[in-house]
Amino acid sequence: MPELIRVGMADYKVGKAPATVISYGLGSCIGISLYDPQTKIGGLLHIMLPDSTQARASDNPAKFADTGLPLMLNDVLALGASRARLVAKIAGGAQMFAFANATDIMRVGARNAEAAKKMLKDLGIKLVAEDTGGTYGRTVSINLEDGVYTVKTINKGEKLI
Amino acid sequence: MKDEFDLSPAQMDALKEIGNIGAGNSATALSQVINRRIDMNVPDVAMVPLEAVPDLVGGPDTIVVGVFLRVYGKAPGNILFLLPQRSAFYLVDTLMGRPVGTTTKLDFMDESALMEIGNILAGAYLNAFFTFTQLAMLPSIPALAMDMAGAILNIVLVQLGQMGDQALVIETEFLSEDDGINGHFFLVPDPGSLETIISAVGVE
């Protein structure tokens, strides 16, 4: 069995083929994967919030899109990935409960998705696939053997992006 | 703002006592609605790292039904009543007077019934809270979702995540006498509310 690397909320893990990196039960959170298809090195980041500058100082930079992504990028590069070849995929960013007067907090999923895309653009990493929004949870994983990003849901089946 | 870590043992005990009375009220209310004895454990009051909260209900990919209510008033916060899927089906069967095991999927009426249960529990809880603290609080209209526990808990954790890396969780587990129902009731005060609650209790 290839190694299964588990990523908790507000955390990231990097690795090499044949490992798979997985994160369970994302709601408004986003799972951002980076992958270099040639060296088969990649990682998965599970962010909770879009912007560290709009929150109190945290001990955990992996909680935010803007601070977490550069950290994971450094680690995949250190493992030997090429920055030019890196591609990104994102999934998550749901709104789990429908309220008529949803506050900003309840729409955080959409803001997370925007922040993730902006950060990827700023870092010059190409976003090649996306499965965001909706009102349902997702379990996401990236297979570092082939770069396939799997999105599992309870009622909407499984999607490979 | 008061940092959550500064709570003294006496203050933790006071919060536990509030949780106890609130949950006791809720358990009684639930027991009257379904006409079965409901037991509860002594509430857990703990500072939990945000990423560890889903483990309290069986892990982030456990399928649960969550009823969420926003709490308005002097010490705002969130209430989340989580039931494993099996317990939720048992509860609707009992509420609707159907043989246990009938429900395999929640329809609109079932969801509405579960939301009403969330409403009753929250009302009973907040009433007790008021008796103890004189802080008047009202729950919002409930919302319901059936999904992975991690995904559902996001809604309370995200807000806390903006302020820190820990959650103060007042959590009670409900159990029915025949083990059909096993629910978790979470009261998660907003970060700023803790100081209000503590000073209303008047414990140093």
Side-chain angles (χ1 to χ4, degrees), chain A residues 25 27-29 56 58-59 63 137, chain B residues 50 147 150-151 154 161-165:
Chain A
S28 56
C29 293
R56 272 220 309 196
S58 166
D59 296 336
K63 197 157 71 176
Chain B
L50 291 182
D147 216 306
N154 265 183
Q162 285 187 317
M163 306 302 287
D165 297 320

